[in-house]
Amino acid sequence: MRKKIVAGNWKMNGSYELINSLVPALAEEAKQSQAEILVCPPSLFLGDVRRQAGERLLVGAQNCHEAESGAFTGEVSTGMLAELQLSHVLVGHSERRAIYGETDALIAQKTKAAIAAGLVAVLCVGETLEERENGRTLDVVLGQVKAVVEQLELADWSKLVVAYEPVWAIGTGKTASSDQAQEVHRAIREALAGFSQEHADAMRILYGGSVKAANAEELFACPDIDGGLVGGASLNVDEFISICRAAN
Ligand code: PEP
């Protein structure tokens, strides 16, 4: 039985005021939750959030650099994230692919660096509206997944989570229907089974894209959806806690 994960991606939002109201409440929630709860604040706040998170609330970064160290002004290495006692890092978020031009090859390198540092990489994949309308959803999504897993050893898969996030559903209020999401999640799991059925069965595949309290329960009830990656709604404590409870 795969343990569900509900992850909050704050993106470039948040403040000490938000941290002080949200993190203690989530730390309490995490103590009694059957799901794993993860928050990914901006890197500047990671140390403070980690200190307030207690033992059960997981804290992750939104991005990392692929190199161990060096002349990369403004960047943060996976070793530094591990030193902060973080457990996860998002890689390949569609905003990083679209705005910062991150390629599948770079995302594979970041994933390897994260795993080598002992972090769990949350690999984000998803198609644009145009790609969906052209019937290319599975080509695009499975291509993004394979580009990374082909670079990993099977033993590394326990340090990988996949997040299917249709780009057209991120921050738009348009959620994929549970049928649309389940279809892609199932296809991802089947593609992973081409490498190893056992590892594919164990892989957590999250859905992201305008998840909110009102749709979380239906999405999380799908057989291949193992939780959610939540953007906007993760900034509201009541809404995010309701989404976490939907995963129980
Ligand atoms: C995201 O940023 O990963 C995301 C899914 O955002 P939202 O929930 O706001 O659509």
Side-chain angles (χ1 to χ4, degrees):
M1 176 91 175
R2 294 181 294 269
K3 194 166 191 178
K4 287 202 164 41
I5 307 175
V6 180
N9 172 17
W10 294 10
K11 312 194 189 198
M12 198 174 72
N13 297 297
S15 60
Y16 283 113
E17 196 184 341
L18 181 82
I19 292 170
N20 293 338
S21 69
L22 201 68
V23 177
L26 293 180
E28 273 311 301
E29 185 66 23
K31 284 184 196 162
Q32 65 209 18
S33 176
Q34 288 156 40
E36 292 177 1
I37 305 179
L38 167 68
V39 282
C40 300
S43 55
L44 177 70
F45 296 133
L46 284 167
D48 291 285
V49 172
R50 181 59 271 165
R51 276 188 287 280
Q52 290 196 36
E55 284 189 7
R56 295 288 303 280
L57 178 61
L58 302 170
V59 183
Q62 297 174 14
N63 182 34
C64 61
H65 196 272
E66 65 280 13
E68 274 179 33
S69 62
F72 302 106
T73 301
E75 294 288 327
V76 173
S77 75
T78 54
M80 294 169 189
L81 301 177
E83 211 172 334
L84 276 188
Q85 317 266 296
L86 306 185
S87 51
H88 292 68
V89 59
L90 308 183
V91 289
H93 191 280
S94 65
E95 287 151 17
R96 297 217 55 93
R97 291 178 191 263
I99 303 169
Y100 303 102
E102 291 196 3
T103 60
D104 283 332
L106 176 66
I107 293 159
Q109 283 181 22
K110 290 187 177 202
T111 306
K112 285 172 83 166
I115 293 172
L119 301 166
V120 175
V122 181
L123 169 65
C124 305
V125 297
E127 81 288 1
T128 62
L129 185 59
E130 192 187 355
E131 288 162 343
R132 175 164 281 267
E133 285 174 350
N134 289 332
R136 298 193 50 235
T137 298
L138 294 186
D139 268 4
V140 170
V141 170
L142 302 185
Q144 290 171 341
V145 171
K146 284 183 188 162
V148 172
V149 294
E150 277 168 2
Q151 303 295 320
L152 303 179
E153 306 291 332
L154 275 177
D156 294 335
W157 285 31
S158 61
K159 289 284 189 185
L160 186 72
V161 169
V162 177
Y164 167 57
E165 299 203 299
V167 178
W168 49 270
I170 296 181
T172 58
K174 286 186 202 154
T175 320
S177 68
S178 51
D179 286 347
Q180 283 173 321
Q182 167 56 25
E183 185 193 0
V184 179
H185 281 236
R186 190 186 51 230
I188 293 172
R189 202 176 303 286
E190 281 171 4
L192 294 175
F195 296 80
S196 156
Q197 183 71 54
E198 185 192 339
H199 289 76
D201 287 342
M203 181 66 69
R204 267 91 61 87
I205 308 176
L206 314 184
Y207 170 79
S210 298
V211 174
K212 37 192 182 283
N215 58 27
E217 208 170 310
E218 188 182 335
L219 285 161
F220 297 169
C222 295
D224 288 294
I225 298 183
D226 305 309
L229 178 53
V230 185
S234 72
L235 298 168
N236 178 305
V237 66
D238 295 334
E239 185 78 9
F240 191 59
I241 286 179
S242 298
I243 295 169
C244 295
R245 290 185 182 166
N248 283 331

